[in-house]
């Protein structure tokens, strides 16, 4: 799975400003570093012991010089501060509209231990770990923490934002062109913080609308007997307590599985989503993600493959 | 000689310490103010406080600062009998305050109000509880001073300075209570 | 010579202490030098343990999806690594040098409260052991060294690890506060005649400022720990969003401690650098007043920048900009220091001892750490790189490249005074170059890792080619760093017994600690040379050109004009 995760790339107008100020700042800092290094090396070479006899001239300081190297950095920092404020407005424009009313969010991202829930309130469906967005459209993203503090971060698309329980945050979110962009939870949130990855899939408007319609639809009822038996197992074991499949179960503690087979990864980026991995994951979640709350359902081999067969129909 | 090994080092130490401790109380009081009104559960949780009764016990605590000061004065005048008397009175007044706080807490517990009840109770018990702990430590300190006085402590200049340094702590605890009383009981229940 | 040496009062108890020997002598000692050595050696011991933890972490991260450590174990180890290095290593080792050196540098017999001094050390030692006992109680803290709520709260850390963490930090904080109080009282009352505030050695100056920072910062940590404990043990609601509390409030309280803490881990190190760069450059510190007052400015500013740790919290642009401005401002006095140190070297006659190499290493590495620190004040950069390996790289450049290199410089500088023997210079050079190499290999690449999107505190990472190579380099660097530490340990053990005899004043120093024997006697000095400037021994050695005369000449010249 190839993902672009570098903060030195920009695929969003919201990231342009950040990238710009990052490069300007890094160049300034690099130049200052070079200046200090050159001065130090020059001092070390020119004034090493033994070039002149006796103790050197004792120079107690020079107020003008010292004022100069106080004032110049100060001036530089004032410029940097102005750049900072401009870049802040550019890359994180205020969310409230001119009228002051809070517009409803397009997508709600909820951080859970240890996966991401993405709600599309207007379209009325929920998905997990993979967020589809229309390229070129500016969306309002609302970020919430379900249990502990998480942090929503997709580097190439702009700033990160904490997902805090009891204090939802909002920010704009946009990808300028279609593509797949990697991200992750960036605030330490417990045992499996490492596997709380985000995949943002930006699509052309038409593709996005297709995806929306697919997500809104109910998955087709399983037709072959093996899958049907799998559905039976899903309903009768505890799967549905945590996992929702529209029309079958409504658990909210784990990822929504209504269209699980259409997603690229399992367990928030831990595994590539294919039948073999899905089976291995359900058979022993602790092997892949020891801190996750997915229990080992202890299914028999035939039950397990039937269940996987069923889950593979959820497209 | 300019170098005096005992030029008020105890007072410097104690002033710096109470300054630091004041910051600690500032955070506790800030938590109370910050969360005032955002408590969930009971409406107007501050109704359960009784500023009048607590106010009476508070007067005892504040008065103890005065008696402590009188005992310091007596020590300077080398009058150990009066030192003892004022010190003991200080202890009694301090103990009275602790008694009042125990009764207050008992009353709240009997109404099933505990730190876990709601945010108001959490901040209230933490702030006043830690102040009570400070008063208790102060009482132990008074006992130690009383023991020292009985053993003839207080004749040397440096001992007087040390005694006054210890008194700084007692005065500090009383001053903190002024802030706590007016913020938690007066502002907080208005 | 007309100057009279200053006699110090005799303290009979000190002589008694000197007679105690063996382990009992160390345990019962209230001598500031013995307490200082205990502090330094204990911190060195914990440094090795924290270093082993670091090596374990880097070994886990050597390849993607590694299975060397369990996730929860990794989280315990990185939490303990941070907590250990900050609370059990850096702060105590600086306190150790302070309690050892301050009385010597101000010409005193001991600290103002010797018993309190010993208490400070032992309570720290006890707190440290109790913290590590949590491993034996089967649950070490695992919520990171700043223990953000609600992760550190009962529902999400339901074993006792976080209770150990909060209780031990309060205990260790008591020791730290006690020692800070002691240093303030010592500097305020025990300075030898003539040592006015303008004549204080800069190390003492900065230690004093640092003690005030400790007094201002520790209460915030205590408050945060106490509130956390009330939540965990009494089911309080301080940081419980369901009960109306705010997890962000914890962050405000914690960083009110946490940011001053960052400075109190570097200020005494600056003091060491300000002592030994002049001595090895054979030139007086450039702009004594500026170096001293800029420290005060930094100390004050350090209390007004805490929220720059919270730019990703969503505080709003107004608050973000205010804290960004304050954080940028703090870079000014820090930069001034760097320039003043370089100006001290400029025109000097530099002796490249190991100590001086470490000081130059400090200047280079701390400059990088300081500059990468400024990038966090540029809020949009912070929005990208906070909580990534870029932060990890930054604060290691400040704390290892800064504080640790300065402390090592100080160790090579004062080891002869403390033990009477020189540390081996050839071993020292190996130590220095391996440290510099290992350190930069480990942490330079972490800047890139962070910018390339690798978050911090992950026990493993997906197979992303750019990350893999950099992580491998970083781990190799850690092993090199480990070897350099072993060389240092061997150098200490070897030199303490077989090192070259140092003599009283091996570096031709200028402050009072070099006016007594090495190691100093229990009572420190028989008498102290007259103090008329910040360099009393320079005045003594150069009667033709003493500092105090030059100053009065200058003043006269000014008046004449």
């Amino acid at each position: 799975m190839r993902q672009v995760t570098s903060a030195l790339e920009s695929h969003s107008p919201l990231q342009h400003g950040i990238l710009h100020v990052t490069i300007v700042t890094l160049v300034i800092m690099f130049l200052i570093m070079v200046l200090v290094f050159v001065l130090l090396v020059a001092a070390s070479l020119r004034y090493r012991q033994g070039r002149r006899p006796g103790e050197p001239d004792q120079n107690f300081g020079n107020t003008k010089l010292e004022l100069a190297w106080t004032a110049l950095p100060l001036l530089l920092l004032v410029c940097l501060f102005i750049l900072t404020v401009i870049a802040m407005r550019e890359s994180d424009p205020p969310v409230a509209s001119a009228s002051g009313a809070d517009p409803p969010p397009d997508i709600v991202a909820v951080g859970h231990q240890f996966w991401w829930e993405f709600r599309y309130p207007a379209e009325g469906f929920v998905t997990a770990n993979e967020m589809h967005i229309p390229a070129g459209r500016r969306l309002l993203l609302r970020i919430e923490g379900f249990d502990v503090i998480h942090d929503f971060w997709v580097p190439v698309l702009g700033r990160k934002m904490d997902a805090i329980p009891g204090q939802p945050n909002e920010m704009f979110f946009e990808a300028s062109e279609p593509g797949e962009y990697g991200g992750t939870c960036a605030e330490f949130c417990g045992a499996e913080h490492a596997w709380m990855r985000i995949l943002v899939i930006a699509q052309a408007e038409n593709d996005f609308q297709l995806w929306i319609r697919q997500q809104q639809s109910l998955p087709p009822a399983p037709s072959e007997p093996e899958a049907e038996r799998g559905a039976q197992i899903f309903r009768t074991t505890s799967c549905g307590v945590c996992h929702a499949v529209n029309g079958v179960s409504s658990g909210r503690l784990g990822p929504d599985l209504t269209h699980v087979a259409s997603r690229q990864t399992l367990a928030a980026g831990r595994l590539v989503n294919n039948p073999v991995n899905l089976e291995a994951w359900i058979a022993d979640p602790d092997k892949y993600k020891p801190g996750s709350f997915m229990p080992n359902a202890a299914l028999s081999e035939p039950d397990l493959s039937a269940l996987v067969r069923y889950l593979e129909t959820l497209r | 000689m300019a170098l005096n090994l005992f030029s008020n080092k105890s007072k410097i130490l104690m002033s710096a310490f109470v300054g630091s401790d004041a910051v600690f109380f500032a955070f506790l009081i800030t938590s109370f103010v910050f969360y005032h009104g955002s408590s969930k559960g009971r409406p107007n949780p501050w109704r359960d406080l009784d500023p009048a009764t607590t106010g009476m016990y508070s007067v005892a605590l504040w008065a103890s600062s005065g008696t402590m000061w009188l005992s310091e004065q007596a020590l300077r005048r080398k009058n150990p009998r009066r030192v003892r008397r004022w010190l003991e009175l200080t202890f009694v007044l301090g103990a009275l305050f602790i008694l009042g706080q125990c009764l207050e807490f008992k009353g709240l517990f009997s109404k099933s109000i505990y730190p876990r009840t709601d945010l108001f109770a959490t901040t209230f018990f933490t702030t006043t509880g830690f102040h009570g702990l400070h008063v208790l430590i102060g009482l132990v300190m008074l006992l130690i001073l009383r023991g020292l006085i009985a053993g003839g402590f207080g004749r040397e200049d440096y001992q007087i300075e040390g005694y006054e340094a210890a008194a700084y702590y007692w005065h500090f605890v009383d001053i903190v209570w002024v802030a706590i009383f007016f913020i938690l009981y007066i502002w907080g229940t208005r | 010579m007309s100057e009279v040496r200053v006699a110090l009062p005799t303290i009979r108890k000190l002589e008694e202490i000197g007679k105690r020997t063996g382990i009992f002598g160390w345990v019962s000692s209230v001598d500031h030098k013995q307490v200082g050595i205990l502090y330094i050696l204990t911190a060195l011991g914990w440094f090795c343990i924290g270093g082993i933890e670091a090596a374990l972490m880097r070994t886990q991260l050597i390849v993607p999806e590694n299975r060397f450590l369990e996730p929860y174990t990794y989280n315990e180890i990185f939490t303990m690594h941070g907590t250990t290095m900050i609370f059990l290593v850096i702060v105590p080792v600086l306190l150790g040098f302070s309690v050892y050196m301050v009385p010597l540098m101000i010409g005193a017999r001991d600290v103002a409260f010797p018993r309190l001094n010993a208490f400070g050390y032992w309570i720290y030692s006890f707190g440290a052991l109790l913290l590590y006992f949590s491993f034996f109680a089967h649950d070490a803290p695992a919520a990171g060294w700043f223990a953000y709520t609600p992760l550190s709260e009962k529902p999400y850390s339901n074993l006792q690890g976080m209770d150990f963490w909060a209780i031990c930090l309060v205990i260790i904080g008591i020791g730290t506060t006690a020692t800070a109080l002691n240093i303030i009282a010592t500097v305020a009352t025990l300075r030898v005649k003539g040592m006015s505030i303008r004549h204080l050695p800069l190390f003492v100056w900065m230690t004093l400022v640092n003690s005030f920072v400790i007094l201002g910062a520790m209460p915030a940590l205590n408050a945060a720990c106490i509130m956390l404990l009330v939540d965990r043990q009494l089911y309080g609601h301080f940081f419980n969003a369901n009960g109306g509390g705010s997890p962000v409030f914890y962050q405000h309280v914690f960083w009110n401690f946490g940011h001053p803490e960052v400075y109190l881990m570097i200020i005494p190190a600056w003091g060491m650098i300000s002592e030994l760069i002049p001595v090895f450059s054979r030139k007086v510190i450039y702009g004594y007043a500026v170096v001293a007052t800029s420290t005060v400015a930094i100390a004050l500013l350090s209390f007004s920048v805490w929220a720059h740790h919270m730019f990703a919290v969503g505080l709003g642009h107004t608050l973000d900009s205010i804290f960004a401005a304050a954080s940028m401002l703090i870079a000014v006095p820090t930069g001034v220091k760097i320039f003043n140190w370089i100006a001290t070297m400029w025109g000097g006659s530099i002796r490249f001892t190991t100590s001086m190499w470490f000081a130059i290493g400090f200047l280079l590495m701390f400059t990088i750490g300081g500059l990468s620190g400024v990038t966090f004040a540029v809020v949009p950069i912070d929005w990208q790189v906070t909580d990534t390996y870029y932060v990890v790289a930054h604060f290691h450049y400040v704390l290892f490249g800064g504080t640790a290199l300065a402390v090592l410089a100080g160790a090579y500088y004062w080891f002869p005074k403390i033990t009477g023997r020189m540390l081996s210079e050839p071993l020292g050079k190996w130590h220095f170059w391996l440290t510099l190499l290992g350190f930069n290999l480990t942490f330079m690449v972490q800047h890139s890792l962070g910018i390339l999107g690798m978050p911090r505190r992950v026990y493993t990472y997906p197979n992303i080619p750019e990350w893999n190579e950099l992580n491998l380099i970083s781990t190799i660097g850690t092993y090199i760093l480990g070897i350099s530490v072993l060389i240092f340990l061997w150098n200490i053990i070897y030199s303490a017994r077989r090192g070259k005899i140092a003599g009283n004043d091996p570096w031709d120093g200028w402050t009072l600690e070099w006016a007594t024997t090495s190691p100093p006697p229990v009572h420190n000095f028989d008498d102290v040379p007259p103090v008329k400037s910040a360099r009393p021994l320079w005045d003594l050695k150069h009667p033709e050109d003493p500092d105090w005369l030059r100053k009065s000449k200058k003043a006269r010249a000014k008046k004449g004009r």
Side-chain angles (χ1 to χ4, degrees), chain A residues 9 21 40 50 65 85 160 182 195 233 250 268 299 301 303:
Chain A
E9 281 186 41
V21 79
L40 257 173
L65 259 179
V85 174
K160 61 162 66 71
W195 289 117
I233 293 163
S250 55
L299 296 173
E301 195 63 33
D303 283 3

Side-chain angles (χ1 to χ4, degrees), chain A residues 11-32:
Chain A
H11 294 280
S12 163
L14 297 166
Q15 163 70 353
H16 287 337
I18 296 181
L19 188 55
H20 180 239
V21 79
T22 304
I23 289 168
V24 170
T25 311
L26 287 182
V27 167
I28 294 174
M29 294 306 143
F30 185 76
L31 291 179
I32 299 174

Side-chain angles (χ1 to χ4, degrees), chain C residues 107-347:
Chain C
R109 288 260 189 262
D110 205 314
V111 289
F113 296 92
R115 283 194 197 89
L116 185 67
N117 196 18
F119 169 81
Y121 165 74
W122 289 104
I123 197 90
Y124 143 65
S125 238
F126 168 72
L129 287 175
L130 189 63
L131 181 64
Y132 266 81
F133 183 75
S134 63
F135 272 114
F136 300 101
H138 298 296
D139 184 50
W145 85 270
F146 38 77
Y148 269 7
T149 54
L151 182 62
S152 55
E153 295 262 42
K154 203 86 184 172
Y156 307 104
S157 301
N158 57 351
L159 295 180
Q160 68 280 55
M162 289 320 300
D163 301 310
F164 271 105
W165 184 85
I167 291 169
C168 292
L169 256 48
V170 171
I171 291 174
I172 294 166
I174 290 170
T176 310
T177 308
T179 306
L181 290 168
N182 215 337
I183 288 167
I184 291 172
T186 306
V187 177
T189 59
L190 296 185
R191 281 169 288 130
V192 73
K193 183 185 170 192
M195 187 161 284
S196 67
I197 200 83
R198 287 156 181 272
H199 295 165
L200 276 184
L202 280 168
F203 178 69
V204 179
W205 237 108
M206 300 208 188
T207 303
L208 181 66
V209 172
N210 196 47
S211 300
F212 282 105
V213 178
I214 289 176
L215 293 190
M218 293 318 275
L221 175 66
N222 291 342
C225 287
I226 293 292
M227 291 178 196
L228 185 59
L229 281 172
V230 168
D231 273 11
R232 289 180 60 85
Q233 296 297 327
L234 303 176
Y235 306 99
H237 301 275
F238 277 113
F239 313 121
N240 169 4
N242 295 334
S246 158
V248 175
F249 185 63
Y250 174 87
Q251 300 186 14
H252 281 293
V253 180
F254 185 87
W255 289 118
N256 252 289
F257 151 78
H259 204 79
E261 168 83 1
V262 173
Y263 285 92
L264 68 85
M265 288 192 283
I266 189 90
I267 292 175
W270 290 338
M272 294 178 176
I273 292 297
S274 308
E275 288 303 324
L276 59 89
I277 283 190
V279 168
F280 290 121
S281 306
R282 309 307 306 154
K283 207 165 139 277
V284 68
I285 185 84
Y286 195 88
Y288 174 97
V290 172
V291 175
T293 49
S294 64
T295 313
V296 179
I298 289 167
L300 291 175
L301 281 172
S302 77
F303 286 95
S304 61
V305 296
W306 76 88
H308 72 209
H309 295 266
M310 300 163 60
F311 285 152
V313 162
L315 296 173
H317 286 195
T318 317
L319 272 180
D320 281 0
S321 328
I322 292 170
F323 281 100
S327 310
M328 286 182 181
L329 208 55
I330 211 165
V332 174
T334 315
V336 166
K337 279 193 160 54
I338 300 265
F339 287 122
N340 274 46
W341 288 322
I342 295 175
T344 306
M345 291 166 64
W346 201 266

Side-chain angles (χ1 to χ4, degrees), chain A residues 155-311:
Chain A
V156 294
L157 300 184
R159 71 164 294 180
K160 61 162 66 71
M161 182 68 99
D162 278 359
I164 303 167
Q167 187 205 300
N169 279 320
E170 287 187 337
M171 69 175 196
F172 284 115
F173 195 62
E174 182 179 350
S176 41
E177 66 266 15
E180 292 183 5
Y181 309 113
T184 184
C185 170
E187 184 70 78
F188 179 62
C189 58
E192 285 293 343
H193 168 56
W195 289 117
M196 234 186 111
R197 301 198 63 82
I198 300 164
L199 182 61
V200 173
I201 299 170
Q203 294 167 301
E205 192 69 48
N206 287 340
D207 295 340
F208 178 68
Q209 292 305 334
L210 276 177
W211 180 79
I212 292 274
R213 272 199 289 285
Q214 179 235 340
Q215 293 291 312
Q216 285 169 327
S217 65
L218 284 180
S223 47
E224 51 158 343
E226 179 80 342
E228 226 167 284
R229 200 170 73 82
Q232 193 60 35
I233 293 163
F234 186 90
R235 275 192 290 269
T236 50
T237 52
S238 54
C239 305
V241 175
C242 299
H243 294 287
V245 172
N246 275 353
V248 178
S249 65
S250 55
R252 279 275 162 255
L253 292 174
D256 186 294
L257 300 180
T258 310
H259 298 280
V260 63
S262 69
R263 299 204 282 260
Q264 294 186 12
T265 68
L266 290 171
R270 180 67 187 87
L271 294 165
V272 175
N273 188 5
N274 59 41
V276 178
N277 279 345
L278 184 58
E279 186 166 335
W281 164 244
I282 299 171
D284 190 1
D286 275 359
K287 188 176 164 195
Y288 299 97
K289 215 170 156 178
S292 89
F293 295 110
M294 170 92 170
N296 186 337
L299 296 173
S300 66
E301 195 63 33
D303 283 3
L304 189 58
S305 53
L307 181 62
V308 169
R309 188 65 69 85
Y310 164 62
L311 291 175

